[in-house]
Amino acid sequence: KDPNYVMKLIATYGRSTVEDSEKDNERWNGSTKSTFKYTKPFSNHFKYRHMVDDHNNLQHSSSGLEDTWKTHFWKNRVFSFLFVITEINVFCT
């Protein structure tokens, strides 16, 4: 990653101030340690960014209804896709 990279995140919730409940994050610059806290949108991004990847991996790794039920009827394809998505969502909760 470029050392001058600045992350930009647009959020419609949260505050631009730091909450006391946020955990401390550490960065080392040589022998100097700096401690800081993220604002809520950035904190949630780093805390939950793996959720979409986990969901997609579960969906693609399961041999669900859409793999076993070979159909060319579009209504059945949509139904099987929605059923598999629901199955994964229930499993993840």
Side-chain angles (χ1 to χ4, degrees):
K1 191 187 285 190
D2 182 17
N4 295 327
Y5 175 79
V6 176
M7 182 176 171
K8 296 176 184 174
L9 182 68
I10 298 174
T12 58
Y13 72 98
R15 297 180 179 178
S16 60
T17 57
V18 177
E19 296 180 10
D20 291 334
S21 61
E22 291 298 323
K23 71 173 191 147
D24 288 340
N25 298 288
E26 299 175 351
R27 293 289 183 267
W28 287 89
N29 187 8
S31 62
T32 307
K33 176 178 137 180
S34 59
T35 305
F36 62 94
K37 294 183 179 188
Y38 287 119
T39 58
K40 197 63 170 176
F42 285 98
S43 173
N44 283 344
H45 167 74
F46 289 116
K47 197 182 301 181
Y48 300 114
R49 64 184 167 183
H50 65 88
M51 297 294 277
V52 173
D53 291 333
D54 293 348
H55 189 276
N56 286 338
N57 289 337
L58 284 171
Q59 179 185 355
H60 293 300
S61 67
S62 68
S63 57
L65 181 63
E66 59 187 359
D67 292 334
T68 58
W69 186 16
K70 301 294 182 193
T71 181
H72 297 286
F73 192 53
W74 71 270
K75 289 181 183 179
N76 289 347
R77 285 186 178 194
V78 172
F79 171 75
S80 66
F81 173 76
L82 292 175
F83 187 80
V84 169
I85 292 292
T86 304
E87 178 184 21
I88 298 299
N89 285 340
V90 168
F91 177 75
C92 288
T93 57

